[in-house]
């Protein structure tokens, strides 16, 4: 129902300011402590949603529930696709209105935000920080301690 408004760029999803401010995922970290990294990761997670290393908290629906929801989503997607297929020159209209450019921009900032969060967690892991400043080991991602080298003088 809202597709024509999106196609005409009359209804735009807002770009979160935190994500829009990320120029590069590898920008210097303003507070390079475990606490500072954890705070920035938490801010990004609030916008992006759970990360891949987030442990299963038991709130995920069962496989049969997900399958049912997937089938329902597929049916709705097919209806939406059929409806949008009736709009002549839809892609031209989306480009002319700026809707396609805005959609690409949203994807770019969300991707950059996810990359930033992964970078921060990598830095946190190398510093020995606890989650959320590092990957959660309960998710099966184990950060090994660096090997100890024994050197003999002389």
């Amino acid at each position: 129902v809202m597709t024509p408004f999106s196609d005409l760029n009359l209804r735009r999803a807002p770009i979160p300011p935190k994500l829009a401010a990320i120029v590069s995922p590898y920008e210097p970290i303003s507070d390079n402590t475990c606490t500072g990294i954890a705070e920035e990761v938490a801010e990004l997670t609030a916008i992006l949603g759970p990360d891949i290393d987030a442990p299963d908290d038991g709130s995920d629906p069962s496989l049969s529930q997900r399958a049912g929801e997937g089938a329902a989503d597929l049916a709705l997607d097919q209806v939406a696709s059929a409806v949008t297929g009736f709009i002549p020159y839809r892609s031209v209209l989306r480009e002319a209105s700026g809707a396609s450019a805005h959609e690409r921009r949203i994807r770019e900032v969300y991707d950059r935000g996810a990359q930033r969060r992964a970078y921060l967690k990598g830095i946190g892991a190398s510093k020995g920080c606890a989650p959320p400043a590092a990957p959660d080991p309960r998710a099966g991602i184990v950060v090994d301690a660096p090997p100890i080298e024994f050197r003999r003088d002389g």
Side-chain angles (χ1 to χ4, degrees):
V1 176
M2 297 303 287
T3 299
F5 293 110
S6 297
D7 288 347
L8 293 172
N9 209 18
L10 298 175
R11 184 186 67 128
R12 300 177 111 189
I15 296 175
K18 172 79 177 168
L19 298 182
I22 300 172
V23 176
S24 167
Y26 312 109
E27 294 171 349
I29 302 168
S30 59
D31 182 357
N32 199 11
T33 64
C34 289
T35 302
I37 293 170
E39 287 172 0
E40 189 168 350
V41 167
E43 288 175 21
L44 290 169
T45 299
I47 298 167
L48 300 169
D51 200 356
I52 194 166
D53 71 319
D56 183 11
D57 62 1
S59 66
D60 281 346
S62 69
L63 181 58
S64 61
Q65 287 173 320
R66 286 188 302 209
E69 289 170 3
D73 288 345
L74 180 62
L76 288 174
D77 288 345
Q78 292 299 320
V79 170
S81 178
V83 169
T84 58
F86 288 127
I87 302 171
Y89 304 106
R90 179 174 183 252
S91 61
V92 173
L93 180 65
R94 288 182 54 77
E95 284 297 330
S97 69
S100 289
H102 183 70
E103 190 174 296
R104 281 190 300 272
R105 173 80 175 124
I106 286 177
R107 263 188 259 122
E108 288 171 6
V109 297
Y110 272 83
D111 286 348
R112 214 171 14 253
Q115 293 164 357
R116 175 72 176 175
R117 179 171 61 187
Y119 172 71
L120 290 168
K121 285 187 173 190
I123 296 296
S126 71
K127 293 173 69 77
C129 300
D136 193 315
R138 293 177 295 170
I141 303 167
V142 180
V143 179
D144 293 329
I148 298 173
E149 287 186 30
F150 295 99
R151 296 184 185 173
R152 182 173 275 166
D153 291 336

